[in-house]
Amino acid sequence: IAVHSAGFLHRDIKPANLMWAAAGQWKLIDFGSARPLSEASEQPLVGSVHCIAPEQFEAGLLDARTDLYALGCSAYFALTGCFAHPGENTAQVIASHLYPQITEIRSLRPDLPRPIAQFISQLCSRKPQDRPQSAGVALELLISHQLDTTS
């Protein structure tokens, strides 16, 4: 939330750039690709191919939802040990982002509560308009999903 509130996009959220801190919090590291929101779309193709949002491949408008997509891909990997968008080469991974057929996370992790799986799926949505509008909205959704983990 702090990165976006400061007017920046990270543009390289991936499992290797998320660090578990001793205080029980996730920390986002490596801001080498970060850019002000107003400049982020000028150089769209930045980041790890397994976590790049579809709009980056299409030279579309980048905003907070771009980072949220990468966060969803990272969460999917953290929970399953598999990339949401696999491929044997870069072209196959890109095609997987553009024409997604993501394996349902609960088929790999049936113990995962359905609301959490739905939250991750929403973050990984192909269309930016289907993702939360901001990191703050995503956090509110996550908190509400954590409160409803009876499924």
Side-chain angles (χ1 to χ4, degrees):
I1 293 175
V3 175
H4 295 163
S5 295
F8 286 85
L9 281 185
H10 187 278
R11 300 187 327 152
D12 194 22
I13 296 175
K14 60 186 177 184
N17 285 342
L18 295 168
M19 183 177 69
W20 184 250
Q25 297 178 330
W26 285 101
K27 300 289 183 177
L28 184 58
I29 61 173
D30 189 0
F31 288 83
S33 297
R35 294 291 178 271
L37 280 165
S38 61
E39 300 172 15
S41 298
E42 294 172 10
Q43 184 189 20
L45 201 52
V46 175
S48 170
V49 70
H50 288 284
C51 297
I52 291 178
E55 60 270 21
Q56 291 176 271
F57 295 115
E58 299 167 331
L61 178 65
L62 309 186
D63 61 20
R65 298 170 296 183
T66 305
D67 277 351
L68 292 175
Y69 180 91
L71 182 62
C73 291
S74 297
Y76 187 101
F77 182 83
L79 291 167
T80 66
C82 304
F83 289 112
H85 300 282
E88 293 183 24
N89 56 51
T90 301
Q92 289 177 353
V93 175
I94 292 169
S96 178
H97 285 285
L98 297 174
Y99 308 100
Q101 295 181 349
I102 298 174
T103 300
E104 168 60 41
I105 196 168
R106 281 180 47 104
S107 70
L108 300 171
R109 285 286 310 274
D111 60 316
L112 194 64
R114 183 169 273 106
I116 300 301
Q118 290 169 339
F119 173 73
I120 293 169
S121 292
Q122 186 178 7
L123 292 180
C124 293
S125 293
R126 164 70 170 92
K127 297 178 182 177
Q129 62 267 28
D130 294 338
R131 299 178 214 140
Q133 294 296 309
S134 69
V137 170
L139 181 59
E140 289 175 15
L141 285 170
L142 177 60
I143 290 168
S144 70
H145 285 322
Q146 284 184 334
L147 294 176
D148 178 24
T149 57
T150 57
S151 305

